Amino acid sequence: MSINAKHLATFILGAAAGVAAHKYLQSEEGEKLLEDLKTKASDLKAEAENAVDKAPEYFEELKTKGAETLKSNFPDAEQFFKELFEKFSGKGTTATGTDIDPNPAT
């Protein structure tokens, strides 16, 4: 793999950008920028930790409200899903209470 002029120019431009960024961050304005970034990062971290702490409560509430809404708007939904699960799992009873034979004799 040979180094051509394009690679060399890219390296020089990258190094120049790094030097310029270092010089800027050493200035008073750059230090203020870094402090602002640190403050925002700290706030974001605290917000994320708070969200992680509240997640179990939120999902439990979502589950409860979802179940209540489903039951109030679709009262037969629970029985429907139970029968559907039993049908695909190949075991259980029908709505009439009789046993389901997954392999009926022909």
Side-chain angles (χ1 to χ4, degrees), residues 73-93:
N73 292 324
F74 304 101
D76 298 332
E78 187 174 4
Q79 183 63 31
F80 171 78
F81 284 119
K82 186 183 282 185
E83 290 173 3
L84 188 65
F85 175 74
E86 290 171 352
K87 178 181 175 183
F88 284 109
S89 67
K91 54 186 170 186
T93 59

Side-chain angles (χ1 to χ4, degrees), residues 6-7 21 33-36 39 64 84 90-91 95 98 106:
K6 186 176 178 181
H7 290 113
L33 175 67
L34 284 176
E35 283 301 316
D36 289 345
T39 302
T64 302
L84 188 65
K91 54 186 170 186
T98 59
T106 55

Side-chain angles (χ1 to χ4, degrees), residues 2-21:
S2 67
I3 297 178
N4 59 26
K6 186 176 178 181
H7 290 113
L8 187 58
T10 303
F11 175 76
I12 291 172
L13 285 174
V19 169

Side-chain angles (χ1 to χ4, degrees), residues 3-69:
I3 297 178
N4 59 26
K6 186 176 178 181
H7 290 113
L8 187 58
T10 303
F11 175 76
I12 291 172
L13 285 174
V19 169
H22 177 72
K23 288 285 187 187
Y24 174 74
L25 293 176
Q26 296 300 318
S27 69
E28 187 176 320
E29 192 176 322
E31 289 178 6
K32 183 179 177 196
L33 175 67
L34 284 176
E35 283 301 316
D36 289 345
L37 286 174
K38 287 178 184 178
T39 302
K40 287 180 182 180
S42 177
D43 292 345
L44 185 60
K45 179 183 174 190
E47 189 177 321
E49 288 172 346
N50 189 22
V52 167
D53 292 341
K54 288 185 177 182
E57 296 169 11
Y58 172 76
F59 286 113
E60 187 61 36
E61 180 183 345
L62 187 64
K63 181 177 113 179
T64 302
K65 285 183 178 180
E68 290 172 0
T69 302

